[in-house]
Amino acid sequence: MNIGKTKFLPIFFRREGDPGLRRLAIHSCGDLRSAACGCDEVERVQQYCYLGVTIDSKLSWTSHVVNVKRRLRKLFICLLAACMGADRGSVQDFDIAGSYDAMLPDAECLRVVSEILSDLKLSAYVIKVNHRLLLDGIFETCGVPADKFRTICSAVDKLDKVGLPSEVADRIGEYVRLNGRQDLIDKLAGDVTLMASKSAGAGLDAMRTLLKYVNLYGITDRISFDLSLARGLDYYTGVIYEAVLQGEAVGSIAGGGRYDNLVGMFHAKKKTVPCVGISIGVERIFSVMEARNMKIRTSEVQVYVATAQKNLAEERMKLCRVLWDAGFNVEHSYKLNPKLLVQLQHCEESGIPVAVILGESEIQRGVVKLRVIATREEKEIPCDELTAELGSYLKGLTNPDPITSS
């Protein structure tokens, strides 16, 4: 038994609760009755996740439902944050369908994913690109039978396991180690043997055009033309993409490419609908954010109007009107007499940067209390100076983005 991977979860149903079983030890000493022998104890837990189901000591579903809701909520706010940053119609999947001139939509897909990953501010990233026709030309040049092209695409990183002759695998290996940008285009164009393949020539021409377009979009420094990129799915027919975070062992966080024949497979008349698209790996992105303890704003509200005593709902509404008219994104509680602590906790959970607090004393003196949520600093401001003070503070925020690190 691996003591480090073993957990102890007592299950009981009695009304009085825990039956008193406090410890469980793995006795290597032979004395099963000794409580002070120093043998390893199995860690006791109150709940445990097994095969995706959270089990607790009462075999209730409460813990499992809470964990699932928490996970779904975090996934939702991760998507919401990406939407705020990218300002595109779809975040998890972005596709362009229709017949257009070569590489124009393909290059825009790269621009879209670059915007999303840049706005998420995770870390440095690189988007690898390659072309299926170029890969097919490489396989053809190296002596791979045509019926094995797709198999090899799925195993470029383990050629020794797909039954290829060693000399063929070695030749492919020399190509798939190459990466670069325009320099790689020039190098491959000078490879007479490779350029004898029509497929390789067509793929290289397409990559030359793609790199020219991404340069016009200003993202050349984010792109790597990488011959090791294959993406094993059979339906890719042209350019292929894959985005990775540098220095993170999470694999690709986005991937996609051109799939001109896939939609036609499901069309009643087998009509060809050229498509290109890319998908964002939300789960992997979220795992990185969670590991870094990154907090995500779930609201674009700038100011929260709170009250410290009862019967001040109308005063809240008057102040909200003033701030709305001044152009601020403002929110307040929909309860007549909310507790101040609950209102401030809402600000912290939602990432609202500022709260304006009203109390009977403040109203009588013609002032409000301005509270910075992150630091909990407070100061009183005359009501007629509030909009100017808020505008100055919000303009000076060093990190107004929807994602912050704690």
Side-chain angles (χ1 to χ4, degrees):
M1 180 183 292
N2 186 333
I3 193 71
K5 296 183 179 180
T6 304
K7 308 297 178 186
F8 166 41
L9 174 64
I11 295 173
F12 51 92
F13 302 95
R14 298 191 304 178
R15 288 180 178 269
E16 57 270 27
D18 193 329
L21 187 57
R22 297 294 182 187
R23 65 188 295 270
L24 181 66
I26 305 300
H27 285 279
S28 56
C29 63
D31 185 1
L32 300 182
R33 298 182 179 181
S34 174
C37 58
C39 291
D40 293 329
E41 287 192 23
V42 179
E43 179 187 355
R44 177 173 173 170
V45 296
Q46 297 300 316
Q47 61 183 38
Y48 189 74
C49 185
Y50 181 70
L51 296 179
V53 178
T54 301
I55 305 170
D56 64 17
S57 57
K58 295 183 179 180
L59 292 183
S60 72
W61 285 105
T62 303
S63 297
H64 179 69
V65 171
V66 168
N67 286 339
V68 170
K69 287 173 65 178
R70 177 181 61 84
R71 192 72 176 176
L72 288 174
R73 179 177 179 274
K74 288 184 175 180
L75 284 174
F76 170 75
I77 61 180
C78 181
L79 279 171
L80 180 62
C83 284
M84 291 177 184
D87 195 27
R88 299 282 183 161
S90 174
V91 173
Q92 189 168 358
D93 295 280
F94 179 88
D95 299 88
I96 301 173
S99 298
Y100 302 104
D101 288 331
M103 292 298 154
L104 288 173
D106 309 67
E108 184 165 348
C109 283
L110 291 172
R111 173 69 196 196
V112 169
V113 74
S114 179
E115 287 183 12
I116 293 172
L117 297 181
S118 295
D119 287 334
L120 285 173
K121 293 181 173 60
L122 297 175
S123 65
Y125 64 89
V126 62
I127 306 173
K128 300 179 181 180
V129 295
N130 201 358
H131 201 287
R132 268 295 172 81
L133 290 179
L134 181 56
L135 280 173
D136 289 349
I138 290 173
F139 298 151
E140 178 187 347
T141 301
C142 293
V144 177
D147 61 352
K148 287 191 175 182
F149 283 4
R150 297 286 77 83
T151 303
I152 303 303
C153 268
S154 303
V156 164
D157 58 342
K158 41 185 178 289
L159 294 172
D160 56 330
K161 298 180 180 180
V162 293
L164 287 177
S166 58
E167 62 274 13
V168 173
D170 290 343
R171 292 181 67 188
I172 296 174
E174 292 176 4
Y175 280 108
V176 299
R177 283 192 290 268
L178 300 176
N179 63 80
R181 296 188 182 99
Q182 186 60 46
D183 56 327
L184 182 54
I185 295 282
D186 296 337
K187 181 173 182 175
L188 295 177
D191 187 331
V192 177
T193 305
L194 180 62
M195 289 300 99
S197 166
K198 292 183 179 180
S199 177
L204 192 61
D205 287 342
M207 290 303 300
R208 182 181 288 108
T209 302
L210 179 66
L211 293 184
K212 179 174 69 174
Y213 289 164
V214 299
N215 183 55
L216 295 175
Y217 282 146
I219 57 172
T220 298
D221 60 331
R222 302 292 192 181
I223 304 298
S224 173
F225 178 16
D226 193 325
L227 293 183
S228 68
L229 177 62
R231 297 195 66 81
L233 297 176
D234 289 346
Y235 57 72
Y236 288 120
T237 57
V239 67
I240 48 180
Y241 319 119
E242 190 169 279
V244 295
L245 291 176
Q246 295 177 327
E248 297 285 350
V250 294
S252 63
I253 56 170
R258 177 159 288 279
Y259 52 101
D260 287 346
N261 301 324
L262 181 62
V263 175
M265 294 170 57
F266 302 96
H267 194 278
K269 298 182 179 179
K270 302 299 179 183
K271 180 181 178 181
T272 299
V273 181
C275 297
V276 63
I278 197 160
S279 296
I280 306 297
V282 175
E283 273 286 350
R284 290 185 178 180
I285 288 175
F286 176 71
S287 69
V288 174
M289 299 174 77
E290 189 174 49
R292 297 182 185 180
N293 197 27
M294 297 178 75
K295 294 181 180 179
I296 306 171
R297 282 191 61 189
T298 60
S299 171
E300 291 186 301
V301 174
Q302 297 170 300
V303 184
Y304 189 91
V305 176
T307 45
Q309 285 99 27
K310 293 181 178 181
N311 303 319
L312 296 178
E314 293 183 8
E315 297 297 329
R316 280 203 321 262
M317 296 170 70
K318 292 177 185 177
L319 184 53
C320 283
R321 174 189 171 183
V322 171
L323 296 178
W324 281 330
D325 288 346
F328 294 101
N329 293 334
V330 183
E331 184 178 85
H332 74 110
S333 175
Y334 293 139
K335 292 191 175 183
L336 289 174
N337 300 305
K339 293 182 179 179
L340 180 59
L341 179 60
V342 172
Q343 296 171 82
L344 297 178
Q345 285 177 339
H346 171 74
C347 293
E348 291 184 355
E349 292 172 358
S350 301
I352 300 173
V354 183
V356 176
I357 304 174
L358 286 170
E360 293 177 354
S361 172
E362 285 82 5
I363 293 172
Q364 291 173 2
R365 292 183 288 120
V367 299
V368 295
K369 191 175 291 182
L370 184 66
R371 180 184 176 98
V372 177
I373 299 301
T375 63
R376 301 187 179 181
E377 296 176 356
E378 295 182 350
K379 66 176 180 180
E380 288 189 350
I381 298 172
C383 290
D384 56 0
E385 298 178 10
L386 177 59
T387 56
E389 184 74 20
L390 282 173
S392 176
Y393 174 75
L394 293 171
K395 185 177 180 181
L397 283 179
T398 57
N399 192 359
D401 299 303
I403 302 176
T404 60
S405 296
S406 64

